Amino acid sequence: MNELFPSPAAGMFGRRLKREQGHRIPVTVITGFLGAGKTTLLRRFLGTPEGKGTAVVVNEFGATGIDDVLVRSSADETVLLGNGCLCCIARSDLQLALRRLVVERERGELPDFKRIVIETSGLADPSPILQTFATDRALGELFHVEAVVTVVDAETGGDTLGWSSEARKQVILADRLVVTKTDIAGEGAAAALAAQLRALNPGAEILEAVNGALDPSRLTEPANDQRNAFVAEATHSDGIGSFVLTESTPMPWPAFAKAMDTLMALRGPDLLRVKGFLDVAGCNGPVVVQFVQHLAHPPVELTAWPDGNRQSRVVFITRNISEQQVRDLFAAVRALV
């Protein structure tokens, strides 16, 4: 993670990228546990011809929306439902957001769109979303859910299914299961995970996507089995919380990298998700950083800040790790470096 190979033709982290990548309106729900690859899959889809004319509703667990900023430049219209997840906030927020999309489209305030994709928080139980469409008659006249697509990480997904009721519910309710990160998972991990998935949901189609590459039709075609059974709403596993670290001055990369190396070494299994933008000293654009438990994704420098805000902000979703503990670790490492 700390070994950088700068090139005269590139930034500190390699080539800079522009982006990290009937009459009723069809709705696709994309769910999956923290770090499974939902946003990567969605952004890849939005870049295809089939993804044109898609409105996106992004729901994140945490005070700062990172996925929303990454997706926004790829979609015609993006709505952020923040500070929680759709199984914990009032479902009226989702209802209002969907109705607003339709009204603003009719007024000409939004480009025309032909479908909606809802990307849920990684901690969300999808059943309340399905209940909303099934029980709200007005919404039912405007929208219909075509498919629930659950993304599962081949590297850490098997272990997560063992301890997380939310992850199991996401799999149980899926019409299609998309297994990601098979290219970095250990030998036999994908097959073992597939067996777990079939045991939980024998009727779902199991697909594989590397770096978000998936036949776009698997996100648009109606599911053969429209599920009517709903699982009880989730109660989040004890100790799961979210906080965001911000920094107004450029961040020295060695300090950030060393602090994250230490955190992963000491508490990797409890580091459920880390994702954000860094204003790294020596870089013109933001550096996108992502971590899932003990895995560090390669940092990616973008050509420009997506929202004009150059402040570093990194969202942490952890289990039994306090914000103060992380702040103290970063301060200690930065002082030493």
Side-chain angles (χ1 to χ4, degrees):
M1 178 175 175
N2 293 314
E3 296 180 8
L4 307 180
F5 300 91
S7 163
M12 291 173 61
F13 305 98
R15 183 171 59 90
R16 297 180 178 92
L17 303 179
K18 183 178 180 181
R19 301 186 181 94
E20 191 199 20
Q21 315 179 15
H23 297 295
R24 293 189 298 170
I25 300 170
V27 177
T28 298
V29 178
I30 299 179
T31 188
F33 203 71
L34 300 164
K38 300 183 296 297
T39 302
T40 300
L41 183 73
L42 174 56
R43 294 177 65 242
R44 188 74 172 255
F45 167 73
L46 294 174
T48 67
E50 293 84 352
K52 300 301 181 185
T54 298
V56 181
V57 176
V58 178
N59 179 229
E60 296 197 60
F61 184 76
T64 299
I66 300 299
D67 289 347
D68 174 65
V69 174
L70 290 173
V71 170
R72 188 177 295 277
S73 61
S74 303
D76 294 323
E77 170 66 3
T78 306
V79 177
L80 174 65
L81 300 179
N83 299 319
C85 68
L86 291 173
C87 65
C88 295
I89 61 174
R91 289 198 293 271
S92 60
D93 288 354
L94 174 62
Q95 294 163 312
L96 291 173
L98 292 172
R99 291 192 180 107
R100 192 183 81 203
L101 284 174
V102 174
V103 169
E104 292 181 355
R105 181 184 66 169
E106 292 175 349
R107 291 175 178 169
E109 298 172 3
L110 289 179
D112 190 25
F113 57 86
K114 59 186 179 182
R115 70 172 52 255
I116 291 176
V117 173
I118 299 174
E119 180 192 347
T120 76
S121 157
L123 295 173
D125 172 4
S127 60
I129 303 173
L130 303 181
Q131 287 174 324
T132 298
F133 286 101
T135 58
D136 186 319
R137 182 172 298 179
L139 279 187
E141 292 176 353
L142 291 171
F143 308 96
H144 67 99
V145 178
E146 281 196 326
V148 177
V149 178
T150 297
V151 184
V152 188
D153 172 2
E155 178 72 11
T156 62
D159 290 338
T160 302
L161 289 172
W163 61 263
S164 171
S165 61
E166 290 89 356
R168 290 192 295 272
K169 289 173 184 176
Q170 291 164 356
V171 169
I172 290 168
L173 285 171
D175 299 300
R176 298 187 180 107
L177 296 164
V178 179
V179 179
T180 61
K181 305 182 186 178
T182 55
D183 55 326
I184 62 174
E187 185 177 354
L193 177 60
Q196 286 181 276
L197 298 177
R198 290 191 186 96
L200 288 169
N201 188 343
E205 181 182 14
I206 299 179
L207 306 164
E208 182 179 320
V210 175
N211 294 324
L214 182 71
D215 181 351
S217 69
R218 308 328 293 147
L219 296 182
T220 59
E221 287 188 1
N224 294 327
D225 174 24
Q226 292 293 338
R227 296 171 182 272
N228 296 313
F230 302 110
V231 181
E233 296 190 15
T235 300
H236 290 321
S237 303
D238 291 342
I240 293 179
S242 172
F243 54 89
V244 58
L245 298 187
T246 59
E247 180 68 48
S248 298
T249 58
M251 173 80 68
W253 176 254
F256 178 82
K258 286 292 187 184
M260 288 305 304
D261 283 344
T262 303
L263 196 53
M264 286 189 293
L266 295 175
R267 299 293 299 275
D270 297 318
L271 205 62
L272 302 181
R273 183 78 185 278
V274 179
K275 187 173 186 178
F277 299 114
L278 283 184
D279 181 9
V280 175
C283 294
N284 295 324
V287 176
V288 180
V289 293
Q290 298 190 58
F291 305 83
V292 179
Q293 297 181 25
H294 61 280
L295 296 177
H297 289 235
V300 175
E301 182 184 354
L302 305 184
T303 56
W305 290 81
D307 54 1
N309 178 7
R310 293 186 62 90
Q311 184 184 53
S312 295
R313 61 265 196 197
V314 182
V315 176
F316 285 75
I317 301 177
T318 63
R319 183 174 55 230
N320 297 321
I321 302 176
S322 71
E323 177 179 353
Q324 192 59 52
Q325 288 173 320
V326 174
R327 288 188 179 277
D328 290 346
L329 172 62
F330 271 77
V333 173
R334 191 162 185 173
L336 288 171
V337 172

